[in-house]
Amino acid sequence: MSAQCQLTGSKPGFGNAISHSHRRTSRRFDPNVQRKRYWLPGEGRHVRLTLSARAIKTIDAIGIEAAVARIRARGGKV
């Protein structure tokens, strides 16, 4: 599963893990993405989206129809 949110577009960030001795090694900061299933009343079907936790809260605020419109405006497939 890709660690990218379909709504916000948040992707992994990269940086360094710093040990007690201050050695630096590469690490990856993944967003909190989850697969969630929503009912899309305008199309009469369910859609399964890969969303970050923040995007789930955004959908609760703006609604699934507006969120799907935003995803499609970004060029995403639903």
Side-chain angles (χ1 to χ4, degrees):
M1 174 168 78
S2 171
Q4 183 173 3
C5 176
Q6 287 181 287
L7 182 61
T8 62
S10 61
K11 296 186 227 181
F14 296 90
N16 290 312
I18 302 179
S19 69
H20 180 69
S21 64
H22 220 66
R23 270 182 87 111
R24 290 175 171 88
T25 54
S26 294
R27 65 158 292 179
R28 182 173 143 146
F29 296 90
D30 284 326
N32 182 10
V33 293
Q34 301 166 18
R35 302 250 311 157
K36 195 144 168 64
R37 188 171 169 243
Y38 287 99
W39 172 252
L40 198 56
E43 298 181 16
R45 67 185 181 106
H46 285 96
V47 291
R48 189 175 297 276
L49 302 173
T50 304
L51 302 167
S52 63
R54 189 172 76 184
I56 292 171
K57 293 173 191 171
T58 301
I59 289 177
D60 290 343
I62 67 172
I64 186 64
E65 296 283 348
V68 167
R70 281 189 194 180
I71 292 170
R72 288 182 173 148
R74 289 182 71 234
K77 184 182 165 202
V78 177

